[in-house]
């Protein structure tokens, strides 16, 4: 794994730690923008939630890392005055701009800025193996999983922006040689 790896995760702190423990500095983490946004707005009053969803969504539509990062920090300051828990939640999710930092948010952001694609696959697998409650061996689980994945494969679509995947590989590798930027809220 010397070329690095992009890992897309939801907001779980334990999951982030596991990625670091297994992959170390080789992994670039893209946190799910949907989960981050929802974690932030869940701390706000119902009447404020639609406006804040829109504000956060506009940040992720920014074309460059610099503009998105500056706007996210501005919103963080605004949230600190409004609701400290929401501000903390946003600070935890600052890794949502990894694709922006790599310069690929416009081409791969639709597919790789959220965990929705993986969650969809997991839901389809769950439909097929979720009712099995007695596994006799671990290889039985693996066979069932493989069978489920083969069964759902025709329903899977090509990743949006897949032609930019070679550029992603280069950007992640360059990011490893340049070092990891630490974002401070």
């Amino acid at each position: 794994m010397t070329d690095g790896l992009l890992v897309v995760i939801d907001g779980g702190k334990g999951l982030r730690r596991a990625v670091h423990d297994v992959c170390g500095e080789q992994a670039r983490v893209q946190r799910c923008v949907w989960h981050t946004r929802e974690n932030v707005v869940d701390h706000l009053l119902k009447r404020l939630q639609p406006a804040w969803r829109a504000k956060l969504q506009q940040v992720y539509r920014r074309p460059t890392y610099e503009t998105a990062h500056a706007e996210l920090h501005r919103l963080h300051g605004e949230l600190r005055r409004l609701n400290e828990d929401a501000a903390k939640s946003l600070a935890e999710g600052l890794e949502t701009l990894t694709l922006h930092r790599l310069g690929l948010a416009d081409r791969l952001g639709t597919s790789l800025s959220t965990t929705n694609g993986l969650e969809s696959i997991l839901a389809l697998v769950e439909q097929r193996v979720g009712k099995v409650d007695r596994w006799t061996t671990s290889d039985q689980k693996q066979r069932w999983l493989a069978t489920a994945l083969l069964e759902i494969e025709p329903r899977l679509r090509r990743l949006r922006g897949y032609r930019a995947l070679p550029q992603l590989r280069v950007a992640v590798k360059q990011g490893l040689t340049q070092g990891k930027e630490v974002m401070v809220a």
Side-chain angles (χ1 to χ4, degrees), residues 3 25-26 28 101-102 168-181:
D3 287 347
E25 296 299 318
Q26 297 294 310
R28 292 290 167 259
R101 190 175 334 124
L102 296 172
L168 175 64
R169 171 180 273 165
V170 170
V172 169
K173 189 172 186 174
Q174 285 175 346
L176 290 175
T177 60
Q178 295 171 357
K180 185 176 176 183
E181 177 186 334

Side-chain angles (χ1 to χ4, degrees), residues 37-69:
R37 186 184 66 228
E38 292 307 305
N39 289 343
V40 170
V41 299
D42 281 349
H43 292 290
L44 301 173
L45 297 172
K46 293 281 185 207
R47 64 181 171 84
L48 299 175
Q49 290 181 358
W52 274 93
R53 270 191 192 94
K55 285 180 181 185
L56 291 168
Q57 199 56 39
Q58 284 179 343
V59 168
Y60 299 125
R61 288 190 186 122
R62 299 276 188 216
T64 66
Y65 171 74
E66 291 77 16
T67 58
H69 187 257

Side-chain angles (χ1 to χ4, degrees), residues 135-145:
W135 302 100
T136 55
T137 62
S138 62
D139 66 324
Q140 182 187 29
K141 290 180 189 179
Q142 293 168 357
R143 286 193 311 271
W144 274 72
L145 175 60

Side-chain angles (χ1 to χ4, degrees), residues 6-35:
L6 178 71
V7 180
V8 183
I9 62 172
D10 65 14
K13 289 180 187 177
L15 188 54
R16 177 64 181 97
R17 176 63 190 246
V19 168
H20 182 269
D21 289 349
V22 172
C23 301
E25 296 299 318
Q26 297 294 310
R28 292 290 167 259
V29 174
Q30 167 69 45
R31 294 239 182 172
C32 178
V33 297
W34 188 91
H35 282 98

